Amino acid sequence: MFKLMEGEDVQDSVTFLFENQPVSATPGMSVAAALLAADVSIFRQTPVSQSARGPFCMMGACYDCLVFVDGMNVQACMTKVRDGMKVSRVPIINKDIET
Amino acid sequence: MNDPFDIIVIGAGPAGISAALEADHHGATVCLLDEQASAGGQIYRNVSQSTSARTKVLGPDYLEGGKMVRDLEQSGVVHRTGVTVWKVGQDGSVAYSKEETAAQIKGRHIIIANGATERPTPLPGWTKAGAMTVGAAQILMKSAGIVPTDAVLIGSGPLLYLVAQQLVSAGAPPKAVIETQTKKDLLGATRHLVPALKGWKQLAKGLQLIAAIRMAGVPRFTAATNIAIHGEDKVDRVSFDANGKSHSIQTTSALLHQGVVPNTQITRSIGLKHVYNAQQHCFHPVTDAFGQSSNSVFSIAGDGAGIGGAKVAALSGKISALNAVCQIGIIPRGICETRAAPLLKKRSSELAIRPFLDAAYPPPTDVLRPADDTIICRCEEVTAGDIRRFASLGCKGPNQAKSFGRPGMGPCQGRYCGLTVTQILAHETNQSHDAVGAYRIRAPLKPITLKELASLETPKEPETAT
Amino acid sequence: MNPKSNSITTETIIIGGGLHGLSTALHLAMRGMTVVVLEKDRVGRHASSANAGGVRRLGRALPEVPLSVASADIWQNMTDLVDDDCGFVSSFQVKLADTQTHMDQLRERAKQVRAIGFEHEEIIDQQTLRDLVPAVSKDCIGALAVTGDGYANPFQTVRAFYTKCIELGVVIHQGSGVENISRVADDWSVRTAHHTITARNIVNCSGAWGGKIAAMLGDHLPIDARAPMLMITEKMPHFMDGVAGAQGIPLSFKQFPNGTVLIGGGNVGNAYLETNKTDLDYQGLALSAATARRYFPIMENAKIVRCWAGIEGFMPDNIPVIGKGRQDNVFHSFGYSAHGYQMAPICGKILSELIIDQGATLPIDAFDPARFRKNSRENGSESIAEFAS
Ligand SMILES: Cc1cc2nc3c(=O)[nH]c(=O)nc-3n(C[C@H](O)[C@H](O)[C@H](O)COP(=O)(O)OP(=O)(O)OC[C@H]3O[C@@H](n4cnc5c(N)ncnc54)[C@H](O)[C@@H]3O)c2cc1C
Ligand code: FES
């Protein structure tokens, strides 16, 4: 769980959609920070084992924060929030493994 | 054909900014590239947009970066933000993307100042949602003003104390600090104490941090072992052994740290020489005192050349820039050396504390070479045991390991498993780290779209400085 | 080192531990011959594991068709040969056409294949193509297709052939580059840093290095080493089976079951035989990226995670050298010109027939090394110029 640090006050805010639900955030925040602040901790499921992941490094190195932003697979920690942007989880992509 | 930039600097942390400023000062045309939206690197991240609350929490060291960034704004340096460098050519060409559009520029000399990444900290459960690095938590403070409400910090090193103290002053004291270093490490480190006293200011700062954490009533555990992170999908608990007892602490935020290591993706991709540093347990590119690499077109400044911290990084940046402008004929060698002499001296006294820190806060063996069932490649979910099995089947090096089970082949391109794979293979096959080597790195240094790559198809005139 | 203490005698020495060397060793060992394989690096280190894993009969040079068809049968039953399916996924391969001219060329091609007695390549129309490969560009008007072709896993294949060879008693020395070859009475004697090996037969399966070994055996064959490049994307939602190529432009395109998409097809970088290094040519990669987008619009925003290249030997006429050398008991099998992966199972068999039975059960005249002897002035590079023009 995350909260605003003591003394941090928010003047303006932007609103974007995550999985079709509105989320409000401070301009300048990354999508990853905004989602964490909104209590979203699971960002995606891994393509290998469908296990849950969230941001790990926050500096663009680990790729565990991948989300879809307006149809593109991007790092949430490297993408700034914009008013009205559409964010969603990356669809689970494994083909059902045939036997 | 138009002239390219004299100097391209990659990375706008303390090393890169001071390199760019110094080169600009001597009249070179300079282009400074960074992936972040504003200058400052990891330590001074977002410093120009900091709020007063954040400034109070992050302390005066953070604000020091503000001056650098203002100087940069006033200078003649062409500063491009939000650009990801994904290819650096032997000839000094640099390809990058900004908002999904690729561009290519060329420099006569390239200063690589891309800093460090946190050392991989593989332990059971480290992939669960809610486990992140201590540095990540700090970035969230610097760039978003948010803090974890119930953090447990795990690992060792000065940054662990710094962030613990910053969380205390942000009104979110961590539930515990679980440290892996032992009394033996600390005792062993005391032989480095005399030289380290030259860095007494830093030592004193460290002790102040520890005192502040204690004052806030945050429990500290040292020599912790058997650390594991639990939870179904999300983290809900951390367990470990310390003081001869087993402990379990509830938390939704497990913050991990075992020091930082040079980010060698770019330097590897150009084929520069690297060596393994046994004190810091990592590879770094081979450089001379001026930061010049094994290829005369490239210098490396700051943590990317070897971990030294922000002050060292700023000094190295200047030194590299002097050498670079001399190399391309803007200043004579004599001037370069006279100017660099005091900087070199200052840098060595700043570095005096390093051997002590390296010895006092070593990454524990089970982080370097974790137990069999611990995942080490986060992307492809390969475990330490898998790597050991590959070794028993005759695998001798990291590149070969890829063919056995895909470690290092996911989107992070081996950033978070490369060192661990090398460590395990070196141990299993009885080879030196240098003999085992590291993943071969090739552009694109970060995943790029087909559209971006395709945009290289028609060669464009290299962009000019004017 | 005293070479005498490391002297080995065997019936056949194979130089090169790529897939062709291993396959030849395997087939010889299955017929009871003793074999030593010498590999300068480690088995499969070069083209055999860096390749795109395409298993295709489609679009083969006409002389290769009978071999390729026979090899396809082995691929279908790979487990029988090496106790491992080598990751082979049998689906289909298509060669796309997006202009009428290309379509006409494909029709002509299908006719040629039929004329030599093979039925596996067929023309499919736009609708059939879209049903088969829904992600294909709307501009594609048809394709040449082969069902039963597909792709396999090169690493797994190398490992399976290697393991089977060992099981059958083949001796494989890795890290053993050939330094010298000499004639001792009726035998060949090969020296490496560690061993001296004597054998009646010697087989040159040394891929891009094949020209060098051939020269040591008195055959001057014009080979060119290049580095075919590949790139692979992040994992994407499943959107296609099979493998696609294109008429008139280099492309090889497939999605693996794990979601990654492999893009290749002929653009090459530089290869350095002395150091084992390759340089990527990013202009070439950019061209491949542009081609992949042209035929598969879904790729527009797909992200490339890695690019690499492997060292391969190309012959001037783009078909391999398979056959006897000038001197007694010398056999060559190299220069597969970036399409030898699929053929490895059958070519190993053919080499075993040449060595043991003195003749092959399939037509291989077109691959005779002697084809480069005419007009040859004993000079490889001049011959390259002649053939390349
Ligand atoms: C997460 C983290 C937190 C830290 N916190 C502290 C702290 O609180 N206090 C402290 O004393 N030390 C801290 N350190 C250590 C400190 O950051 C370094 O010692 C110091 O900043 C090194 O400076 P630098 O200029 O070498 O690197 P950096 O400041 O890291 O600057 C490198 C820059 O290069 C950019 N870059 C890298 N690759 C590319 C690319 N391909 N394309 C474009 N740009 C690129 C990065 O975005 C970054 O801005 C921290 C380190 C990390 C990793
Ligand atoms: S959190 Fe690691 S890349 Fe975004």
Side-chain angles (χ1 to χ4, degrees):
Chain A
M1 284 257 282
F2 285 81
K3 64 170 188 186
L4 280 180
M5 61 166 68
E6 222 165 70
E8 179 87 4
D9 63 336
V10 181
Q11 284 107 9
D12 7 308
S13 76
V14 296
T15 304
F16 65 95
L17 293 177
F18 177 65
E19 296 281 305
N20 299 319
Q21 298 298 310
V23 176
S24 60
T26 321
M29 261 189 179
S30 65
V31 171
L35 289 176
L36 290 172
D39 214 14
V40 174
S41 57
I42 297 177
F43 280 43
R44 66 180 189 117
Q45 290 182 307
T46 60
V48 177
S49 71
Q50 282 78 52
S51 57
R53 292 283 168 90
F56 180 72
C57 72
M58 284 302 294
M59 58 185 278
C62 75
Y63 290 77
D64 264 329
C65 63
L66 291 173
V67 290
F68 261 39
V69 169
D70 299 332
M72 290 268 296
N73 198 2
V74 299
Q75 291 166 289
C77 71
M78 301 297 283
T79 309
K80 294 244 179 284
V81 290
R82 284 187 314 269
D83 228 344
M85 83 192 327
K86 289 200 180 70
V87 182
S88 60
R89 293 203 169 95
V90 181
I92 297 194
I93 57 182
N94 251 16
K95 186 188 173 193
D96 293 335
I97 306 289
E98 324 102 308
T99 42
Chain B
M1 184 108 120
N2 297 310
D3 281 345
F5 287 100
D6 289 328
I7 313 268
I8 295 173
V9 182
I10 304 173
I17 298 175
S18 47
L21 287 173
E22 184 71 22
D24 174 62
H25 172 80
H26 293 283
T29 54
V30 184
C31 183
L32 173 62
L33 303 172
D34 198 290
E35 208 171 3
Q36 303 298 334
S38 57
Q42 297 309 344
I43 182 161
Y44 306 134
R45 205 189 237 249
N46 209 35
V47 64
S48 55
Q49 265 97 54
S50 190
T51 62
S52 62
R54 290 180 210 177
T55 305
K56 195 179 124 247
V57 165
L58 295 165
D61 278 357
Y62 177 61
L63 268 196
E64 238 172 65
K67 181 175 176 316
M68 252 191 197
V69 172
R70 280 191 302 277
D71 288 349
L72 180 65
E73 281 158 8
Q74 321 267 288
S75 74
V77 173
V78 178
H79 178 204
R80 302 209 168 126
T81 56
V83 302
T84 301
V85 170
W86 51 264
K87 176 178 167 278
V88 180
Q90 304 263 355
D91 58 349
S93 63
V94 176
Y96 62 80
S97 292
K98 185 180 166 88
E99 286 157 9
E100 279 99 54
T101 309
Q104 196 164 10
I105 57 176
K106 199 162 172 184
R108 295 167 67 195
H109 193 94
I110 313 294
I111 299 176
I112 299 163
N114 65 339
T117 53
E118 279 176 278
R119 176 189 298 285
T121 49
L123 48 82
W126 73 309
T127 55
K128 293 186 191 304
M132 55 171 68
T133 70
V134 161
Q138 198 192 38
I139 289 169
L140 286 167
M141 290 192 257
K142 289 173 182 171
S143 64
I146 63 171
V147 283
T149 53
D150 60 350
V152 171
L153 278 66
I154 302 165
S156 83
L159 190 64
L160 202 70
Y161 300 137
L162 176 63
V163 171
Q165 178 271 329
Q166 288 172 339
L167 286 172
V168 168
S169 65
K175 290 182 80 172
V177 180
I178 303 168
E179 300 169 37
T180 52
Q181 82 283 349
T182 62
K183 275 221 178 70
K184 199 164 139 237
D185 296 329
L186 209 57
L187 282 177
T190 49
R191 70 197 156 89
H192 301 292
L193 207 51
V194 174
L197 288 176
K198 275 207 251 168
W200 63 271
K201 269 196 193 154
Q202 293 170 60
L203 277 178
K205 245 187 239 168
L207 293 173
Q208 279 169 19
L209 291 178
I210 296 175
I213 298 164
R214 188 169 298 136
M215 286 268 290
V218 176
R220 274 182 68 205
F221 300 87
T222 56
T225 55
N226 282 329
I227 304 171
I229 300 170
H230 307 268
E232 180 86 9
D233 285 331
K234 307 182 202 178
V235 175
D236 59 25
R237 181 172 75 86
V238 172
S239 67
F240 60 100
D241 296 342
N243 318 321
K245 275 186 275 179
S246 294
H247 303 263
S248 171
I249 300 176
Q250 304 228 316
T251 178
T252 59
S253 274
L255 306 182
L256 308 169
H257 183 73
Q258 288 289 352
V260 297
V261 295
N263 176 355
T264 52
Q265 301 291 114
I266 293 181
T267 52
R268 287 266 182 209
S269 77
I270 318 164
L272 304 180
K273 267 207 195 85
H274 289 70
V275 283
Y276 187 77
N277 179 324
Q279 282 72 49
Q280 302 194 331
H281 306 274
C282 60
F283 286 104
H284 61 71
V286 176
T287 54
D288 66 13
F290 289 88
Q292 183 152 321
S293 72
S294 56
N295 175 337
S296 62
V297 177
F298 301 95
S299 298
I300 303 132
D303 275 0
I307 302 307
K311 291 225 164 70
V312 170
L315 291 163
S316 302
K318 277 195 179 164
I319 296 167
S320 293
L322 282 168
N323 179 54
V325 291
C326 168
Q327 279 254 342
I328 59 176
I330 294 182
I331 60 170
R333 185 51 61 186
I335 295 200
C336 163
E337 279 173 6
T338 343
R339 297 240 176 164
L343 301 171
L344 287 164
K345 200 160 154 232
K346 202 160 163 214
R347 185 175 67 178
S348 78
S349 74
E350 286 290 340
L351 277 170
I353 195 176
R354 275 291 137 191
F356 171 76
L357 291 179
D358 293 339
Y361 301 105
T365 311
D366 58 358
V367 160
L368 294 177
R369 305 191 302 269
D372 277 355
D373 48 11
T374 306
I375 287 179
I376 58 149
C377 168
R378 301 174 60 91
C379 299
E380 295 292 332
E381 304 185 46
V382 181
T383 65
D386 291 332
I387 305 294
R388 292 193 178 97
R389 190 164 47 80
F390 304 159
S392 75
L393 293 172
C395 172
K396 293 247 177 323
N399 294 305
Q400 204 185 349
K402 290 182 179 176
S403 65
F404 281 85
R406 298 187 54 82
M409 291 171 88
C412 99
Q413 300 168 316
R415 284 174 170 81
Y416 277 98
C417 67
L419 261 180
T420 318
V421 170
T422 298
Q423 306 273 12
I424 296 175
L425 287 177
H427 190 255
E428 295 296 312
T429 62
N430 253 318
Q431 301 178 83
S432 70
H433 294 83
D434 287 315
V436 170
Y439 288 137
R440 189 179 312 123
I441 307 296
R442 286 182 138 155
L445 296 160
K446 297 233 163 157
I448 52 163
T449 63
L450 258 73
K451 193 168 70 181
E452 285 161 292
L453 181 55
S455 71
L456 280 193
E457 196 198 343
T458 32
K460 296 195 186 82
E461 277 286 280
E463 197 183 329
T464 60
T466 41
Chain C
M1 181 163 310
N2 177 3
K4 287 230 173 68
S5 65
N6 281 303
S7 299
I8 303 171
T9 308
T10 186
E11 289 172 287
T12 299
I13 297 169
I14 296 175
I15 304 175
L19 211 45
H20 280 272
L22 294 175
S23 174
T24 304
L26 175 66
H27 284 282
L28 286 171
M30 286 197 310
R31 296 188 56 184
M33 198 173 244
T34 57
V35 185
V36 172
V37 177
L38 299 175
E39 163 57 48
K40 71 181 177 66
D41 298 310
R42 56 182 153 78
V43 292
R45 153 84 166 76
H46 296 288
S48 292
S49 53
N51 71 70
V55 176
R56 99 183 137 79
R57 286 163 286 172
L58 176 64
R60 292 263 162 194
L62 292 177
E64 285 183 357
V65 170
L67 275 62
S68 181
V69 167
S71 215
D73 289 340
I74 307 184
W75 277 103
Q76 293 291 349
N77 301 296
M78 195 52 123
T79 322
D80 296 346
L81 185 65
V82 293
D83 307 329
D84 188 313
D85 67 8
C86 297
F88 177 53
V89 176
S90 169
S91 48
F92 59 85
Q93 290 231 3
V94 286
K95 196 165 209 183
L96 306 170
D98 63 358
T99 66
Q100 204 48 58
T101 321
H102 285 159
M103 204 59 214
D104 294 343
Q105 289 166 348
L106 290 178
R107 282 206 183 87
E108 182 53 31
R109 157 78 192 182
K111 245 190 251 159
Q112 288 170 356
V113 175
R114 250 154 243 253
I116 60 163
F118 291 91
E119 307 276 312
H120 55 282
E121 297 191 6
E122 51 185 339
I123 293 290
I124 56 173
D125 64 15
Q126 190 170 39
Q127 194 50 51
T128 315
L129 173 63
R130 282 198 196 158
D131 293 344
L132 206 54
V133 191
V136 78
S137 151
K138 293 203 173 28
D139 297 335
C140 288
I141 51 177
L144 188 61
V146 173
T147 52
D149 277 358
Y151 54 85
N153 181 333
F155 297 137
Q156 198 178 332
T157 312
V158 168
R159 224 175 315 140
F161 274 75
Y162 171 79
T163 311
K164 192 70 194 181
C165 278
I166 298 287
E167 238 178 79
L168 292 176
V170 174
V171 175
I172 300 178
H173 290 297
Q174 309 190 51
S176 297
V178 170
E179 291 174 351
N180 181 278
I181 306 177
S182 58
R183 204 71 173 124
V184 176
D186 281 346
D187 285 340
W188 289 101
S189 171
V190 176
R191 209 182 64 226
T192 71
H194 316 288
H195 307 94
T196 301
I197 303 125
T198 314
R200 166 138 225 142
N201 308 305
I202 190 161
V203 190
N204 172 12
C205 291
S206 35
W209 292 263
K212 289 196 170 160
I213 299 295
M216 291 168 96
L217 292 164
D219 287 309
H220 295 276
L221 297 170
I223 185 173
D224 197 9
R226 294 181 216 151
M229 304 184 293
L230 294 173
M231 53 187 149
I232 194 144
T233 68
E234 64 188 353
K235 295 175 173 139
M236 299 174 67
H238 180 77
F239 65 86
M240 89 173 242
D241 298 304
V243 183
Q247 174 63 17
I249 186 161
L251 175 70
S252 146
F253 186 90
K254 59 173 142 315
Q255 185 177 33
F256 290 111
N258 75 0
T260 58
V261 178
L262 184 69
I263 303 167
N267 288 306
V268 295
N270 294 322
Y272 304 96
L273 291 180
E274 299 308 324
T275 54
N276 285 344
K277 293 225 160 85
T278 54
D279 284 342
L280 299 181
D281 165 18
Y282 285 83
Q283 294 288 330
L285 286 172
L287 186 65
S288 296
T291 309
R293 273 176 77 199
R294 167 172 150 198
Y295 290 93
F296 292 92
I298 188 175
M299 298 304 289
E300 170 102 355
N301 291 325
K303 288 201 170 143
I304 304 289
V305 173
R306 259 177 313 116
C307 303
W308 75 92
I311 302 180
E312 168 70 323
F314 288 78
M315 302 312 290
D317 49 7
N318 276 315
I319 57 172
V321 170
I322 307 172
K324 293 189 177 182
R326 224 195 274 248
Q327 303 201 56
D328 287 347
N329 303 325
V330 168
F331 302 87
H332 297 293
S333 171
F334 66 87
Y336 281 85
S337 311
H339 47 261
Y341 176 64
Q342 189 262 1
M343 304 226 289
I346 194 66
C347 290
K349 179 153 184 286
I350 286 173
L351 264 288
S352 75
E353 294 167 355
L354 274 181
I355 294 165
I356 296 174
D357 312 327
Q358 307 291 317
T361 51
L362 287 166
I364 56 166
D365 290 349
F367 311 112
D368 191 348
R371 72 187 189 274
F372 296 111
R373 263 179 229 152
K374 306 156 210 145
N375 327 325
S376 156
R377 269 150 285 163
E378 296 284 301
N379 181 325
S381 55
E382 279 179 41
S383 314
I384 289 182
E386 280 167 28
F387 278 87
S389 56

